[in-house]
């Protein structure tokens, strides 16, 4: 995993790299600019012949911008820099890079904004815009010329690349400080910044890519970040090896407790997702009258008919049978499509206290705990819970969906610690937290996944990895990463608006293959 840092932690790393590792600031700046150009080319193709406007502030962010300009000029781009301060006011390293850029491009390649109309015309005539205005040190709202130029960038309607983080964004919280650049691509330097994954930062950052500028790993370790970014390397390492001598029993047996009348689709999707993530066997416990319906939807999974209520949901009288069912499985996934019928709620509450297998709880299993989240501490194994913000709000006293969304990271970390559980708080940049206070943020996924059933898919995937013997932290993080990766592949093939949950399942084997072969 990759540590996510605050602005102060990043400043400490930069300072130590310069003073202790004796890497000159100019070298770090050169590496940063080189990395930004590489990602720009990867996303937008060769810059040759393209009109690129780079907007530079006075600090190191502006210095990075001048490096980018010089390198793009070398690649035959038509580069122009809008400099927001007098050259005399540039920071020391930024001034050096400004002078190098002038020697490469000539004085006419740099202008100061002389009026809003001229500035807007310059930006609107560009094919690409690079935001190198403000860095991580912003602490007060943007005003004056800086406000005007950021607004002009946003209204220009051109692809925009932000250097380190979008100007106007608070580096630690993702809050917009008066106004902020809406980037299509943010190339962050050294380590990812927390504000890129929180609040408005998610919308303003666009796609986030990372540039290694050579900070010693021992310095990174010493920072002691408690928030990590899930990497493909971590997810790949969490997956069980596929041995030549393996059989279906090698990869576990998941017991899925799911479904009711009208909601067998949730059970079917969770079961199929568990199989697609490599689980050897899946059996679904389901209310008896909908068993035939579910069997018609599933070919590879088995079913286990359960006592039911008149409403065709799980009945309280089935507790002993359900415990027997769970006792012969390697892991349990509980919740998709259960409903909140009073008898079903009672069954869930009693089952959670007595089940002896690793488990993941989702959907109506979590709704059954509304006002009774203390029951989670009675689980024999710390469970994984996978709430969306509304379900999280029902679990937390005095919380609302809005308050959860305003502090997703803090909510997940606090609840995981207080209740001794693993939390997968779903949403844009899903947050995973564990009981010891560590947290991770998932970089994969897209808005096309905001559709019914994708949560059921994730539940099946988490349960499937648990059944294969993967630990709860690794299962939660790897499943979430793969879930988003499959969604990203589906979006690339189909576009986001028309995606459905089944598309994520369909692309899961391809995501697994791309991950294991990378």
């Amino acid at each position: 995993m990759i540590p996510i840092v605050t602005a102060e932690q990043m400043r400490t790393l930069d300072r130590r790299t310069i003073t202790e590792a004796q890497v000159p600031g100019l070298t770090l700046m050169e590496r940063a600019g080189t990395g930004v150009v590489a990602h720009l080319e990867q996303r937008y193709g060769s810059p040759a012949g393209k009109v690129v406007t780079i907007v530079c502030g006075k600090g190191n962010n502006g210095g990075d911008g001048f490096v980018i300009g010089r390198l793009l000029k070398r690649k035959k781009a038509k580069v122009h820099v809008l400099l927001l301060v007098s050259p005399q006011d540039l920071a020391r390293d930024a001034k050096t890079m400004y002078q190098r850029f002038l020697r490469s491009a000539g004085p006419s390649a740099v202008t100061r904004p002389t009026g809003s109309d001229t500035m807007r015309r310059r930006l609107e005539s560009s094919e690409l815009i690079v935001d190198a205005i403000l860095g991580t040190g912003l602490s007060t709202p943007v005003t004056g010329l800086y406000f005007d130029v950021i607004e002009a960038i946003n209204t220009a309607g051109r692809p925009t690349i932000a250097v380190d983080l979008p100007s106007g964004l608070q580096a630690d919280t993702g809050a917009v400080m008066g106004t902020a650049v809406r980037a299509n691509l943010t190339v962050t330097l050294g380590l990812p910044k927390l504000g890129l994954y929180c609040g408005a930062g998610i919308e303003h950052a666009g796609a986030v890519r990372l540039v290694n500028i050579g900070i010693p790993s021992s310095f990174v370790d010493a920072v002691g970040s408690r928030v990590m970014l899930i990497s493909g390397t971590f997810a790949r390492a969490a997956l069980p090896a596929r041995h030549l001598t393996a059989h279906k029993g090698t990869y576990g047996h998941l017991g899925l407790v799911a479904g009711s009348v009208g909601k067998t689709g949730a059970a079917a999707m969770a079961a199929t997702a568990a199989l697609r993530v490599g689980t050897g066997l899946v059996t679904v416990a389901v209310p008896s009258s909908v068993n035939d319906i579910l069997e018609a939807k599933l070919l590879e999974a088995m079913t286990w008919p359960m006592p039911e209520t008149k409403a065709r949901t799980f009945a309280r009288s089935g507790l002993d049978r359900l415990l027997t069912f769970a006792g012969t499985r390697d892991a349990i996934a509980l919740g998709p499509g259960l409903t909140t019928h009073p008898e079903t709620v009672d069954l869930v509450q009693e089952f959670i206290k007595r089940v002896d297998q690793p488990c993941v709880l989702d959907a109506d299993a979590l709704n059954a705990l509304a006002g009774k989240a203390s029951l989670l501490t009675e689980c024999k194994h710390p469970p994984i819970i996978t709430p969306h913000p509304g379900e999280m709000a029902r679990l937390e006293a005095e919380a609302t969906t809005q308050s959860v969304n305003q502090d997703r990271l803090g909510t997940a970390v606090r609840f995981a610690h207080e209740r001794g559980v693993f939390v997968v708080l779903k949403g844009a940049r899903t947050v995973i937290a564990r009981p010891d206070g560590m947290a991770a943020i998932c970089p994969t996924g897209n808005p096309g996944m905001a559709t019914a059933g994708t949560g059921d898919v994730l539940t099946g995937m988490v349960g499937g990895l648990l059944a294969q013997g993967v630990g709860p932290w690794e299962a939660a993080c790897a499943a979430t990463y793969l879930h988003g990766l499959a969604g990203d592949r589906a979006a690339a093939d189909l576009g986001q608006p028309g995606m459905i949950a089944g598309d994520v399942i369909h692309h899961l084997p391809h995501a697994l293959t791309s991950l294991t072969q990378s």
Side-chain angles (χ1 to χ4, degrees), residues 236-261:
R236 180 171 61 251
L239 299 176
R242 309 301 287 191
H243 299 291
L244 291 174
T245 56
H247 53 82
K248 62 187 177 185
T250 306
Y251 299 110
H253 193 165
L254 175 66
L256 174 62
V257 185
S260 60
V261 64

Side-chain angles (χ1 to χ4, degrees), residues 83-90 112:
L83 180 58
L84 303 187
V85 297
S86 169
Q88 296 93 297
D89 294 330
L90 288 168
R112 298 279 310 281

Side-chain angles (χ1 to χ4, degrees), residues 102-133:
L102 284 185
R103 287 196 293 271
S104 168
S108 63
V110 181
T111 58
R112 298 279 310 281
T114 55
S116 58
D117 289 342
T118 303
M119 180 171 61
R120 289 180 189 279
R121 282 196 297 271
R122 170 71 68 180
L123 293 168
E124 289 170 0
S125 64
S126 305
E127 292 170 80
L128 296 172
I129 297 171
V130 176
D131 160 29
I133 305 170

Side-chain angles (χ1 to χ4, degrees), residues 478-504:
T480 303
Y481 186 95
L482 272 168
H483 183 251
L485 186 61
D488 289 341
R489 291 184 70 98
D493 285 351
L494 305 169
Q496 294 181 12
M499 281 174 58
I500 58 175
D503 297 326
V504 178

Side-chain angles (χ1 to χ4, degrees), residues 29-43:
M29 203 170 276
E30 194 73 31
R31 291 171 180 171
T34 300
V36 172
V37 170
H39 283 292
L40 182 152
E41 286 188 284
Q42 187 177 59
R43 171 124 181 183

Side-chain angles (χ1 to χ4, degrees), residues 399-415:
T400 64
T401 301
Q402 183 180 14
S403 69
V404 170
N405 279 326
Q406 286 174 342
D407 186 17
R408 288 168 45 79
L409 179 62
T411 298
V413 169
R414 182 172 56 252
F415 193 89

